[in-house]
Structures are given as structure tokens and as C-alpha cells.
């Protein structure tokens, strides 16, 4: 069985890393897995970077297409909220290149594809009854452009009046994006398409969306290499990073500390009165630290590119904090618990799937910084509790988030889709829908479209590598 993962990147960014980990897990199981990406940063020979058409006509077409898209976004330059994280278009001026270089596969698995595919071109080019899996790393595939809705629920209907764009029009850019996505996704067969949500929260969001609720939606948590993300000797880990051995360490990790959604400002508010009743405690952050909020007392380690080095960083910490305002199944939390580090976070998104009070950490109500601060102090002061949670964290990671566990579930989904597709081609009724067992216990009208147009031939043939 040939599986091709399509993603904007391979190992840069949380979504890219998640897709790449699945790809490597499948290869370890003997599945023929390859990736087609826009930006390749790994040395993996099974990851192929997209090669664009460099002819004059193709280059001119891309420039014109990019100009139209930028123009549409520039209309909201003065009204966009400063806390907007990311909002992207369904169109892509390089969309023809993706279609032209699409390799033959039994199953395509889409990941984070913003800035890579053009929805209309891509889905029009797929053969009928082509098995397709879409792993949702954020909300963008079923919204009018936002990657996280910040509490807005207009994606359940048709978007428009976008609060993040500061728009008051029902026919704004998000409504147009939503309408184009709806038309493109209508080409997909419900029998041969599966949407995979990593968390219970993401599963609930996509089930309520107007764009994707017609498809079968499955929940498969992320997986990671528990041999790489494993508990390390704390003394050695602290020596590596120059952290005092007798200090109590609170750790925060994000690709960018300045990302409003990740909530570093909430962590600072929670620890404004100290980190625990006279304890010798320090706050350590990992990630791009271009935040004006960074206090002098915080030790910034910058970005760590090595997974093994990250495992030492998690192991040196007494408590890991995830103060996000909105989140899917945060991989930094999975990495922390796999290294045996208890986690404190807000009860938002997919965090409660991993942070289980009294088992792997403690939860606070959303944006309740006082309770978050108390939870951090509780773990710092109670060595016995922290030690027990540490052992539970590691066991949960081994039982539920091992890479082989995730890969086996995806392999089952792929095989079911391929069999269903073959039965449809043979004119037979497909079997009943696949149900995946869960190891986790249950918790007690747009106006006219943009003038950007491409000529698409749905008979376009896929290529071989």
C-alpha cells in the first residue's frame, strides 16, 4: 500500500513534526510512506520537495495570483485584531505545480496544507473514489481562513463578519473562502474520505462545522517516539543547560513565546507573585523569545532543534506549564509527559485529553491565572505528589501515545478506505464504517468570488517519483 502525505513542511513547526512522525511510524511498520512538501528541512529520502514550474508563463501566473490574494487581505489591514495568529486563503498561485507533481498513491493523507494546495485545483484533479485522509492539526480546513477561531462559531454556518478581521460584512473575505472551500470539498466522496481529529475537542469542532460534518470523522491521538522522549538524568540535564541543581524549575515551550494564543502572558500573570512560597524557583522558556513581555528573571534557552536535547530540557523541569487560550493536542504536552514531567494547564481544547488531574498534572479553568498559579505552587511544594505524577505521566505516554499505536490505527484507516474504494469501483455496497477503539477513559453567503481564476483539467494525470 502506497501512502503519500501532503504537507507544507516536514519538520519545522508543530503540525509538520506531527505529520512527519506519523510518516516515520508507518515506515517502521513496513508501509510504503512518502511525503510531498513545499519546504523540506530533513534529510529523509522519502520526503520530496515540490519543484515548481519556472517557465516565464508559470512565473507570471504565480505573481498575478499572489497579487490578487494579497489585495484581498490588504483590505483588512487597518481593522485586523493585533492578536490575530494566522488566517490563510484557500487559493494558491502555485496550486498547478502541486497537481502536476502529485505522485501515484493508494491513499493521500493531507496534513497542514495552507500555502501549498489550491483547494479548487487540487480536489478537481483527484481521481473519483480516491481514498483520502485529512489529519486536522488546526481548524483551518473547515473555517473561512482562521487556524483557530478564538471562540467564534461562525464556521458552523458560512463565516463572514469575521471578528479577527474586524469585519462587519457577511460577505467578507472569510465568507468567500468558506464558499470556495464548500464547492471544492463537494467533489470528495463521503465513502472514500476520512477526517481524523487528534483530540476530543477538535473532533467536536469539526462535527459542528458546515464544511466537513458530512464526512466520517475519526479520532486518533498523535504519537511520538517514547525512546527519544524519555526521562533523563535530572542532574545531567541541568548541567547541560546551566540550571542550578537545587532550583525548582517551571518550563514553558512554544515555537514563539510571543504567540498570543500560547498564553505566555497568562503564565507571567500566574507567577507574578513568585513561584511558590520562598522556594528557589526559576522560569525557563524554550522558543523564539522576541517577546517584550519576557522578564529579566526568565531564563530563555531559545529554539532547540534536536528532539533528544528537548528531552533533556523536559527532564530538567519540575513542572511543565501549558497556559494556552486555545489548543488542539499540543505535542509539547505529549513530549513533557513522555519525559515524566507533570503538566499544569488550562481546561481548554485538547489539553484535558492529556492533562488528567491527579494523574498526569493539574488543570485550571480557562484563563484563570490565580488558580493556575496555585496549581504550579502545589506541585513545586509537594515532592511526593510530583514524584507520583511523574511515574503516571510516563506510563500514560507508553500506553496511549507511542508512535506504533498511532501508526497501526492509521494503517487500519487506510486499509479500510482502499477496500471501500475497490468495492465501489466493482459496483458493490461498501461495508459499515470503521470504528476505532479509544484507549483514553471518558472525561467525568458570500458575494462574487475573487477574480483569481485558473483553467483546470480534471483529467490531469498524476506523476511518479
Amino acid at each position: 500500500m502506497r501512502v503519500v502525505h501532503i504537507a507544507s513542511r516536514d519538520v519545522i513547526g508543530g503540525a509538520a513534526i506531527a505529520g512527519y512522525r506519523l510518516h516515520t511510524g508507518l515506515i517502521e511498520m513496513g508501509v510504503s510512506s512518502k511525503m510531498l512538501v513545499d519546504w523540506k528541512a530533513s534529510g529523509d529520502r522519502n520526503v520530496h520537495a515540490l519543484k515548481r514550474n519556472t517557465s516565464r508563463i508559470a512565473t507570471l501566473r504565480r505573481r498575478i495570483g499572489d497579487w490578487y490574494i494579497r489585495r484581498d487581505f490588504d483590505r483588512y489591514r487597518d481593522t485586523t485584531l493585533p492578536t490575530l495568529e494566522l488566517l490563510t486563503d484557500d487559493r494558491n498561485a502555485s496550486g498547478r505545480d502541486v497537481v502536476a507533481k502529485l505522485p501515484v498513491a493508494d491513499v493521500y493523507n493531507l496534513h497542514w496544507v495552507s500555502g501549498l494546495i489550491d483547494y479548487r485545483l487540487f480536489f478537481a484533479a483527484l481521481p473519483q473514489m480516491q481514498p483520502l485522509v485529512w489529519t486536522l492539526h488546526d481548524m483551518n480546513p473547515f473555517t473561512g481562513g482562521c487556524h483557530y477561531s478564538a471562540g467564534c462559531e461562525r464556521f458552523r454556518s458560512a463565516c463572514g463578519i469575521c471578528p479577527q478581521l474586524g469585519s462587519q460584512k457577511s460577505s467578507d473575505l472569510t465568507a468567500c473562502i468558506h464558499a470556495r472551500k464548500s464547492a471544492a470539498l463537494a467533489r470528495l466522496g463521503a465513502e472514500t474520505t476520512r477526517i481524523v481529529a487528534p483530540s476530543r475537542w477538535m473532533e467536536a469542532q469539526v462535527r459542528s462545522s458546515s464544511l466537513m460534518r458530512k464526512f466520517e470523522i475519526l479520532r486518533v491521538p498523535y504519537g511520538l517516539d517514547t525512546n527519544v522522549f524519555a526521562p533523563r538524568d535530572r542532574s545531567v540535564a541541568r548541567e547541560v543547560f546551566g540550571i542550578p541543581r537545587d532550583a525548582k524549575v517551571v518550563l514553558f515551550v512554544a515555537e514563539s513565546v510571543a504567540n498570543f494564543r500560547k498564553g505566555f502572558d497568562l503564565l507571567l500573570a500566574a507567577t507574578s507573585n513568585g513561584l511558590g512560597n520562598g522556594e528557589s524557583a526559576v522560569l525557563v522558556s524554550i522558543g523564539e523569545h522576541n517577546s517584550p513581555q519576557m522578564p529579566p528573571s526568565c531564563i530563555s534557552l531559545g529554539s532547540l532543534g534536536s528532539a533528544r536535547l528537548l528531552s533533556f530540557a523536559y527532564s530538567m523541569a519540575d513542572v511543565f506549564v501549558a497556559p494556552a487560550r486555545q489548543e488542539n493536542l499540543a505535542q509539547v504536552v505529549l513530549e513533557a509527559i513522555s519525559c515524566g514531567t507533570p503538566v499544569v494547564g488550562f481546561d481548554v481544547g485538547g489539553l484535558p485529553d492529556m492533562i488528567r488531574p491527579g494523574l498526569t498534572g493539574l488543570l485550571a479553568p480557562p484563563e484563570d491565572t490565580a488558580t493556575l498559579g496555585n496549581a504550579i505552587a502545589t506541585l513545586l511544594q509537594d515532592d511526593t505528589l510530583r514524584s507520583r505524577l511523574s511515574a503516571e505521566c510516563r506510563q500514560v505516554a507508553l500506553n496511549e501515545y507511542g508512535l506504533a499505536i498511532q501508526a497501526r490505527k492509521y494503517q487500519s484507516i487506510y486499509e479500510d478506505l482502499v477496500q471501500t474504494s475497490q468495492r465501489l469501483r466493482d459496483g458493490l455496497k461498501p461495508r459499515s464504517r470503521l470504528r476505532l477503539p479509544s484507549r483514553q477513559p471518558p472525561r467525568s453567503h458570500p458575494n462574487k468570488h475573487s477574480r483569481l481564476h485558473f483553467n483546470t483539467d480534471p483529467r490531469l494525470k498524476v506523476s511518479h517519483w
Side-chain angles (χ1 to χ4, degrees):
M1 179 171 58
R2 298 163 299 180
V3 179
V4 172
H5 303 269
I6 302 171
S8 297
R9 304 178 183 184
D10 54 354
V11 294
I12 298 178
I17 291 171
Y20 182 75
R21 285 175 178 169
L22 172 59
H23 157 70
T24 59
L26 289 167
I27 288 178
E28 290 176 3
M29 292 184 60
V31 176
S32 175
S33 177
K34 297 183 182 297
M35 292 189 77
L36 176 64
V37 301
D38 197 5
W39 295 344
K40 177 181 177 179
S42 73
D44 190 333
R45 62 184 179 86
N46 290 309
V47 177
H48 301 264
L50 177 67
K51 294 182 180 179
R52 287 182 166 78
N53 185 342
T54 57
S55 69
R56 290 184 179 181
I57 293 177
T59 301
L60 179 60
R61 183 186 293 118
R62 281 197 295 268
R63 288 177 179 175
I64 294 173
D66 286 337
W67 181 85
Y68 273 114
I69 295 172
R70 285 197 305 270
R71 181 204 62 177
D72 289 346
F73 277 84
D74 283 346
R75 293 170 177 168
Y76 303 93
R77 183 168 45 193
D78 296 331
T79 58
T80 298
L81 292 181
T83 55
L84 173 69
E85 183 191 36
L86 187 63
L87 194 149
T88 57
D89 206 279
D90 62 295
R91 299 164 293 173
N92 189 327
S94 300
R96 287 175 176 271
D97 297 323
V98 179
V99 170
K101 300 297 182 181
L102 197 61
V104 172
D106 297 304
V107 180
Y108 293 115
N109 192 332
L110 297 180
H111 292 275
W112 203 93
V113 292
S114 296
L116 177 62
I117 72 167
D118 178 282
Y119 277 61
R120 186 171 69 89
L121 288 175
F122 183 84
F123 295 117
L126 290 182
Q128 285 189 336
M129 294 175 284
Q130 169 67 50
L132 179 74
V133 174
W134 200 332
T135 302
L136 301 179
H137 301 287
D138 58 29
M139 300 174 70
N140 180 260
F142 55 88
T143 71
C146 65
H147 287 250
Y148 281 92
S149 66
C152 173
E153 297 183 348
R154 295 188 64 80
F155 67 89
R156 297 184 177 185
S157 54
C159 285
I161 316 179
C162 176
Q164 296 196 60
L165 289 181
S167 167
Q168 300 299 319
K169 295 183 178 180
S170 59
S171 58
D172 66 13
L173 176 60
T174 62
C176 293
I177 292 174
H178 191 282
R180 289 195 297 264
K181 285 184 177 181
S182 179
L185 294 175
R187 294 178 177 271
L188 295 177
E191 299 90 348
T192 53
T193 302
R194 298 290 182 270
I195 308 300
V196 178
S199 67
R200 298 175 191 274
W201 171 79
M202 184 62 77
E203 181 183 8
Q205 300 306 302
V206 68
R207 287 190 187 282
S208 69
S209 74
S210 57
L211 286 179
M212 287 188 165
R213 58 186 168 215
K214 74 171 185 177
F215 302 114
E216 182 173 359
I217 301 165
L218 304 169
R219 183 171 56 83
V220 180
Y222 291 142
L224 79 170
D225 189 335
T226 55
N227 293 319
V228 172
F229 288 98
R232 309 292 179 183
D233 185 277
R234 177 161 295 178
S235 298
V236 173
R238 293 195 173 183
E239 186 174 348
V240 167
F241 296 106
I243 304 297
R245 292 189 179 186
D246 59 346
K248 293 293 177 68
V249 177
V250 175
L251 180 64
F252 171 86
V253 179
E255 188 174 353
S256 172
V257 176
N259 187 326
F260 180 75
R261 180 175 58 84
K262 296 296 184 179
F264 185 67
D265 60 312
L266 298 176
L267 173 57
L268 294 182
T271 58
S272 60
N273 294 323
L275 291 170
N277 296 339
E279 296 277 1
S280 175
V282 295
L283 176 61
V284 179
S285 72
I286 295 175
E288 293 183 10
H289 56 283
N290 55 343
S291 173
Q293 300 172 325
M294 183 71 70
S297 58
C298 178
I299 300 174
S300 175
L301 301 180
S303 298
L304 302 181
S306 165
R308 192 168 296 276
L309 190 57
L310 267 173
S311 72
F312 277 88
Y314 290 118
S315 298
M316 77 170 178
D318 294 283
V319 179
F320 181 80
V321 185
R325 290 178 165 87
Q326 197 171 30
E327 189 64 271
N328 188 13
L329 199 75
Q331 291 191 94
V332 292
V333 174
L334 291 184
E335 293 165 359
I337 67 173
S338 187
C339 293
T341 305
V343 183
V344 173
F346 291 126
D347 188 359
V348 299
L351 296 183
D353 287 14
M354 303 170 288
I355 308 173
R356 303 168 195 176
L359 188 66
T360 61
L362 298 173
L363 285 172
E367 300 192 40
D368 185 340
T369 57
T371 304
L372 185 73
N374 289 335
I376 295 171
T378 295
L379 286 186
L380 289 179
Q381 294 164 14
D382 193 333
D383 295 344
T384 302
L385 173 62
R386 200 170 61 251
S387 177
R388 179 175 64 80
L389 295 187
S390 177
E392 295 285 1
C393 281
R394 179 61 179 170
Q395 199 58 49
V396 167
L398 293 173
N399 291 344
E400 300 180 25
Y401 299 115
L403 194 55
I405 297 172
Q406 180 198 26
R408 279 196 299 269
K409 290 183 178 181
Y410 269 87
Q411 184 181 32
S412 179
I413 295 171
Y414 298 151
E415 291 174 347
D416 178 73
L417 278 176
V418 170
Q419 292 172 11
T420 298
S421 178
Q422 187 58 55
R423 289 175 66 86
L424 288 170
R425 289 188 174 96
D426 295 339
L428 301 176
K429 183 179 179 180
R431 297 181 303 170
S432 60
R433 291 183 170 185
L434 177 69
R435 291 290 180 265
L436 293 175
S438 173
R439 289 175 175 263
Q440 290 186 346
R443 287 187 68 237
S444 12
H445 311 328
N447 288 344
K448 295 181 180 179
H449 293 175
S450 165
R451 286 181 285 168
L452 175 64
H453 295 287
F454 296 107
N455 292 322
T456 307
D457 183 353
R459 297 169 296 177
L460 283 171
K461 295 182 179 180
V462 292
S463 62
H464 293 274
W465 275 324

